[in-house]
Amino acid sequence: MKSSTDSHQHGGAPRALFARYGLPEREVLDLSVNLNPFGVPELIRQAWPDWIDQLAPYPSVEGLGVKAFYQQSFQLPNDCVLPGNGSLELMYFVQRVRGYRRVGVVLPSFHDYMRSVTAADVDCVPLLRDCKQSLDTFINSVSLRQALESLDAIYIGSPNNPDGNVASAEDLLRLAAAFPQVDFLVDHAFIQFIQNAGHYSLLSSERLRDNIIVFHSLTKFYALAGVRLGALVSSADTIARLSVKREPWAVNAVAESCAALLPRCTEYVQHTQRWLSVAGAALDAELTQIAGLFVYPSQTNYRLICLRQPDYYDAFLQGLLQQGIHPRCCRNFVGLPAGHIRVCVGLEAENQRLVAALRHVMKGLP
Ligand SMILES: Cc1ncc(COP(=O)(O)O)c(C=O)c1O
């Protein structure tokens, strides 16, 4: 399966949607990117001016500040972490250097899984899942086991983007043990938003395996997307094999300093977790009452919403834009049926604005 750059689309570009519908641009509440709404942590803001002096010298070759973050926050040994310029960059790196021939991608999911595979001239095998089925059910299915027989690696988003479903760590570990010849490329970009993360997270020293490569991002939870910060986590053996193929200085000095400071942002972490459990539940209570919409259950900071009558999708999107709401249009999620949007959970006033807009637009649809 080929994936072209034409369909290479991320959130955060309301202009493209205004242009598509020939609507005049206006100020919007952009809910298409799933970042922590509290923005850059205060400790990073305070330290920022001091980092000007770090611009002249080279940073550490291997991103020591990022390793320090994983050591302090997740007790992961330094030799089990490979820092990167965002987790996305590491996805492309792994595909380039790992020598895969056939890689499965559980779909619908984040577009760059497929793109990283095809960009490396590797065969991409779509593995379609109905988002109404849990990831655990999919992972334990006979059809997936059959597919794994002929794959070198498989991408699994957990939590998955766009629906937010998350696989249990135990199921992932069991599957990886049953297929030692397959690399399990598990994307944990949103794992820190999940309550009871211990049940789902592979970011612990007892859960490291040679054939599980975890992609972790520091850009979503800490609202640092512009800095580009993330890492791969795996066994020391797998990280050593990957490290010899790695370019030096993949993480810049400022990003390294940010990462080193993040373990001290404990208040920010607690505040975020408290906000999401309250705001997420309140938003779900409102959304599930709007006739004509289906909301996928999710513990993450985003919700996938299905318009039950997808024929009115264009009118639905235009209506939301006119109400000043920019959702993530989900047209380019391969394997997702027509009629979906994804929205980020925001602060209370933002969620109220979203709910009011959805109510208004739905009332106007036939
Ligand atoms: C599911 C998922 N994984 C990974 C990424 C990339 O994150 P990063 O900013 O760490 O490169 C994104 C970005 O949108 C994403 O949605």
Side-chain angles (χ1 to χ4, degrees):
M1 179 182 243
K2 289 280 165 216
S3 106
S4 77
T5 39
D6 295 344
S7 57
H8 187 221
Q9 189 190 332
H10 294 107
R15 272 192 154 172
L17 214 51
F18 279 110
R20 179 183 182 115
Y21 292 122
L23 292 173
E25 282 180 33
R26 55 160 288 178
E27 170 278 329
V28 284
L29 173 60
D30 188 3
L31 299 176
S32 68
V33 183
N34 304 322
L35 299 177
N36 189 325
F38 295 113
V40 175
E42 189 52 34
L43 283 181
I44 303 277
R45 280 184 191 279
Q46 286 167 8
W48 190 259
D50 297 339
W51 292 344
I52 188 83
D53 293 333
Q54 299 183 7
L55 299 186
Y58 278 94
S60 71
V61 169
E62 67 277 54
L64 288 178
V66 181
K67 287 180 182 256
F69 168 83
Y70 288 94
Q71 216 286 320
Q72 289 168 39
S73 298
F74 296 100
Q75 292 71 54
L76 291 166
N78 276 2
D79 57 357
C80 297
V81 175
L82 187 65
N85 186 23
S87 61
L88 191 100
E89 183 254 333
L90 291 159
M91 292 175 191
Y92 284 80
F93 165 72
V94 165
Q95 294 300 324
R96 275 200 312 277
V97 304
R98 204 68 177 150
Y100 303 136
R101 282 158 303 150
R102 275 165 63 79
V103 175
V105 181
V106 180
L107 296 172
S109 201
F110 183 50
H111 181 73
D112 282 271
Y113 303 157
M114 274 178 17
R115 190 165 182 274
S116 64
V117 175
T118 54
D121 286 327
V122 173
D123 265 356
C124 182
V125 180
L127 303 165
L128 291 182
R129 161 183 162 255
D130 177 348
C131 287
K132 289 186 177 144
Q133 179 190 49
S134 76
L135 256 184
D136 281 337
T137 306
F138 184 80
I139 281 173
N140 292 316
S141 66
V142 175
S143 59
L144 182 67
R145 284 174 174 260
Q146 282 167 349
L148 284 167
E149 298 288 351
S150 65
L151 294 176
D152 300 314
I154 179 173
Y155 264 116
I156 303 174
S158 180
N160 192 45
N161 173 4
D163 55 295
N165 207 268
V166 56
S168 81
E170 203 181 298
D171 283 1
L172 287 169
L173 289 167
R174 199 179 314 116
L175 195 63
F179 291 90
Q181 77 286 7
V182 178
D183 271 359
F184 286 77
L185 310 176
V186 178
D187 183 4
H188 267 359
F190 292 96
I191 200 75
Q192 282 175 279
F193 286 106
I194 298 286
Q195 284 174 20
N196 188 16
H199 184 68
Y200 304 102
S201 174
L202 296 168
L203 296 177
S204 89
S205 53
E206 307 85 66
R207 292 179 176 171
L208 304 179
R209 300 290 184 274
D210 286 346
N211 67 330
I212 300 183
I213 297 178
V214 178
F215 297 92
H216 186 252
S217 171
L218 293 172
T219 71
K220 317 285 182 193
F221 190 82
Y222 296 100
L224 291 171
V227 170
R228 316 303 305 127
L229 207 48
L232 284 186
V233 175
S234 188
S235 69
D237 193 41
T238 298
I239 294 297
R241 286 170 203 275
L242 288 166
S243 297
V244 291
K245 308 211 168 156
R246 188 77 175 134
E247 304 85 348
W249 301 306
V251 181
N252 70 69
V254 172
E256 234 195 289
S257 297
C258 281
L261 209 49
L262 292 177
R264 286 175 39 204
C265 300
T266 47
E267 227 173 87
Y268 182 90
V269 172
Q270 287 161 10
H271 195 51
T272 299
Q273 286 164 347
R274 272 198 303 271
W275 150 76
L276 186 56
S277 70
V278 175
L283 181 63
D284 287 337
E286 298 275 12
L287 292 178
T288 48
Q289 279 178 25
I290 303 178
L293 299 179
F294 173 79
V295 186
Y296 292 72
S298 161
Q299 288 186 51
T300 58
N301 60 326
Y302 52 90
R303 297 291 183 272
L304 180 65
I305 301 176
C306 174
L307 180 66
R308 290 188 194 271
Q309 295 197 56
D311 290 352
Y312 301 114
Y313 190 60
D314 284 325
F316 178 59
L317 279 182
Q318 287 180 59
L320 285 176
L321 284 177
Q322 282 162 336
Q323 290 298 306
I325 299 291
H326 179 236
R328 171 70 155 89
C329 160
C330 291
R331 274 199 186 90
N332 80 321
F333 278 92
V334 175
L336 188 66
H340 288 79
I341 58 166
R342 192 197 65 208
V343 288
C344 175
V345 181
L347 300 176
E348 197 186 340
E350 296 168 333
N351 297 336
Q352 281 173 3
R353 213 172 132 186
L354 166 68
V355 169
L358 283 168
R359 281 210 188 101
H360 179 86
V361 173
M362 291 307 290
K363 256 190 216 147
L365 293 184

mmCIF file of all heavy atoms in Angstrom, residues 195-210:
data_model
loop_
_atom_site.group_PDB
_atom_site.id
_atom_site.type_symbol
_atom_site.label_atom_id
_atom_site.label_comp_id
_atom_site.label_asym_id
_atom_site.label_seq_id
_atom_site.Cartn_x
_atom_site.Cartn_y
_atom_site.Cartn_z
ATOM 1 N N GLN A 195 -5.456 7.578 32.805
ATOM 2 C CA GLN A 195 -5.499 7.241 34.232
ATOM 3 C C GLN A 195 -5.119 5.769 34.373
ATOM 4 O O GLN A 195 -5.323 5.001 33.434
ATOM 5 C CB GLN A 195 -6.917 7.410 34.752
ATOM 6 C CG GLN A 195 -7.296 8.849 34.963
ATOM 7 C CD GLN A 195 -8.758 8.974 35.334
ATOM 8 O OE1 GLN A 195 -9.382 8.026 35.786
ATOM 9 N NE2 GLN A 195 -9.301 10.142 35.119
ATOM 10 N N ASN A 196 -4.637 5.377 35.507
ATOM 11 C CA ASN A 196 -4.243 3.991 35.720
ATOM 12 C C ASN A 196 -3.256 3.550 34.643
ATOM 13 O O ASN A 196 -3.372 2.467 34.062
ATOM 14 C CB ASN A 196 -5.501 3.097 35.708
ATOM 15 C CG ASN A 196 -5.194 1.677 36.104
ATOM 16 O OD1 ASN A 196 -4.117 1.414 36.662
ATOM 17 N ND2 ASN A 196 -6.091 0.752 35.809
ATOM 18 N N ALA A 197 -2.266 4.420 34.352
ATOM 19 C CA ALA A 197 -1.331 4.158 33.256
ATOM 20 C C ALA A 197 -0.564 2.862 33.486
ATOM 21 O O ALA A 197 -0.142 2.207 32.528
ATOM 22 C CB ALA A 197 -0.378 5.327 33.088
ATOM 23 N N GLY A 198 -0.400 2.469 34.754
ATOM 24 C CA GLY A 198 0.330 1.240 35.057
ATOM 25 C C GLY A 198 -0.257 0.027 34.356
ATOM 26 O O GLY A 198 0.448 -0.933 34.034
ATOM 27 N N HIS A 199 -1.545 0.062 34.089
ATOM 28 C CA HIS A 199 -2.205 -1.062 33.444
ATOM 29 C C HIS A 199 -1.876 -1.107 31.942
ATOM 30 O O HIS A 199 -1.950 -2.148 31.303
ATOM 31 C CB HIS A 199 -3.727 -0.905 33.641
ATOM 32 C CG HIS A 199 -4.522 -2.033 33.101
ATOM 33 N ND1 HIS A 199 -4.499 -3.300 33.639
ATOM 34 C CD2 HIS A 199 -5.355 -2.113 32.034
ATOM 35 C CE1 HIS A 199 -5.291 -4.097 32.940
ATOM 36 N NE2 HIS A 199 -5.812 -3.404 31.956
ATOM 37 N N TYR A 200 -1.535 0.049 31.396
ATOM 38 C CA TYR A 200 -1.376 0.167 29.946
ATOM 39 C C TYR A 200 0.049 0.478 29.482
ATOM 40 O O TYR A 200 0.388 0.229 28.335
ATOM 41 C CB TYR A 200 -2.278 1.305 29.426
ATOM 42 C CG TYR A 200 -3.735 1.132 29.789
ATOM 43 C CD1 TYR A 200 -4.314 1.848 30.837
ATOM 44 C CD2 TYR A 200 -4.533 0.235 29.087
ATOM 45 C CE1 TYR A 200 -5.652 1.686 31.169
ATOM 46 C CE2 TYR A 200 -5.873 0.065 29.418
ATOM 47 C CZ TYR A 200 -6.420 0.794 30.453
ATOM 48 O OH TYR A 200 -7.738 0.625 30.781
ATOM 49 N N SER A 201 0.843 1.047 30.362
ATOM 50 C CA SER A 201 2.125 1.602 29.911
ATOM 51 C C SER A 201 3.236 0.558 29.892
ATOM 52 O O SER A 201 3.397 -0.234 30.825
ATOM 53 C CB SER A 201 2.521 2.744 30.848
ATOM 54 O OG SER A 201 3.799 3.198 30.516
ATOM 55 N N LEU A 202 4.038 0.619 28.837
ATOM 56 C CA LEU A 202 5.217 -0.252 28.745
ATOM 57 C C LEU A 202 6.476 0.477 29.216
ATOM 58 O O LEU A 202 7.580 -0.033 29.101
ATOM 59 C CB LEU A 202 5.394 -0.714 27.291
ATOM 60 C CG LEU A 202 4.261 -1.587 26.744
ATOM 61 C CD1 LEU A 202 4.380 -1.750 25.242
ATOM 62 C CD2 LEU A 202 4.238 -2.948 27.430
ATOM 63 N N LEU A 203 6.284 1.691 29.739
ATOM 64 C CA LEU A 203 7.435 2.483 30.176
ATOM 65 C C LEU A 203 7.829 2.119 31.604
ATOM 66 O O LEU A 203 7.667 2.908 32.541
ATOM 67 C CB LEU A 203 7.113 3.984 30.098
ATOM 68 C CG LEU A 203 6.846 4.546 28.706
ATOM 69 C CD1 LEU A 203 6.465 6.019 28.771
ATOM 70 C CD2 LEU A 203 8.051 4.355 27.805
ATOM 71 N N SER A 204 8.295 0.891 31.759
ATOM 72 C CA SER A 204 8.823 0.494 33.066
ATOM 73 C C SER A 204 9.888 -0.560 32.810
ATOM 74 O O SER A 204 9.798 -1.311 31.833
ATOM 75 C CB SER A 204 7.714 -0.038 33.973
ATOM 76 O OG SER A 204 7.560 -1.422 33.801
ATOM 77 N N SER A 205 10.897 -0.579 33.678
ATOM 78 C CA SER A 205 12.067 -1.426 33.360
ATOM 79 C C SER A 205 11.703 -2.911 33.281
ATOM 80 O O SER A 205 12.308 -3.646 32.521
ATOM 81 C CB SER A 205 13.192 -1.179 34.351
ATOM 82 O OG SER A 205 12.697 -1.320 35.643
ATOM 83 N N GLU A 206 10.651 -3.334 33.993
ATOM 84 C CA GLU A 206 10.280 -4.773 33.925
ATOM 85 C C GLU A 206 9.576 -5.109 32.613
ATOM 86 O O GLU A 206 9.405 -6.288 32.289
ATOM 87 C CB GLU A 206 9.332 -5.185 35.049
ATOM 88 C CG GLU A 206 9.750 -4.865 36.460
ATOM 89 C CD GLU A 206 9.359 -3.460 36.835
ATOM 90 O OE1 GLU A 206 8.161 -3.190 36.913
ATOM 91 O OE2 GLU A 206 10.262 -2.630 37.039
ATOM 92 N N ARG A 207 9.124 -4.110 31.894
ATOM 93 C CA ARG A 207 8.340 -4.385 30.681
ATOM 94 C C ARG A 207 9.136 -4.170 29.391
ATOM 95 O O ARG A 207 8.557 -4.155 28.316
ATOM 96 C CB ARG A 207 7.069 -3.530 30.687
ATOM 97 C CG ARG A 207 6.121 -3.959 31.791
ATOM 98 C CD ARG A 207 4.862 -3.122 31.855
ATOM 99 N NE ARG A 207 3.961 -3.656 32.872
ATOM 100 C CZ ARG A 207 2.862 -3.056 33.295
ATOM 101 N NH1 ARG A 207 2.517 -1.876 32.794
ATOM 102 N NH2 ARG A 207 2.098 -3.624 34.212
ATOM 103 N N LEU A 208 10.430 -4.005 29.516
ATOM 104 C CA LEU A 208 11.239 -3.804 28.308
ATOM 105 C C LEU A 208 11.512 -5.156 27.659
ATOM 106 O O LEU A 208 11.808 -6.130 28.343
ATOM 107 C CB LEU A 208 12.566 -3.123 28.661
ATOM 108 C CG LEU A 208 12.444 -1.784 29.399
ATOM 109 C CD1 LEU A 208 13.813 -1.220 29.719
ATOM 110 C CD2 LEU A 208 11.630 -0.791 28.567
ATOM 111 N N ARG A 209 11.388 -5.228 26.350
ATOM 112 C CA ARG A 209 11.644 -6.465 25.605
ATOM 113 C C ARG A 209 12.435 -6.129 24.351
ATOM 114 O O ARG A 209 12.256 -5.055 23.772
ATOM 115 C CB ARG A 209 10.318 -7.129 25.161
ATOM 116 C CG ARG A 209 9.365 -7.514 26.282
ATOM 117 C CD ARG A 209 9.892 -8.684 27.116
ATOM 118 N NE ARG A 209 8.923 -9.089 28.123
ATOM 119 C CZ ARG A 209 8.800 -8.546 29.346
ATOM 120 N NH1 ARG A 209 9.629 -7.576 29.715
ATOM 121 N NH2 ARG A 209 7.881 -8.981 30.185
ATOM 122 N N ASP A 210 13.229 -7.102 23.876
ATOM 123 C CA ASP A 210 14.025 -6.855 22.660
ATOM 124 C C ASP A 210 13.145 -6.501 21.470
ATOM 125 O O ASP A 210 13.554 -5.727 20.609
ATOM 126 C CB ASP A 210 14.822 -8.117 22.292
ATOM 127 C CG ASP A 210 15.998 -8.337 23.226
ATOM 128 O OD1 ASP A 210 16.349 -7.390 23.963
ATOM 129 O OD2 ASP A 210 16.560 -9.451 23.223
#
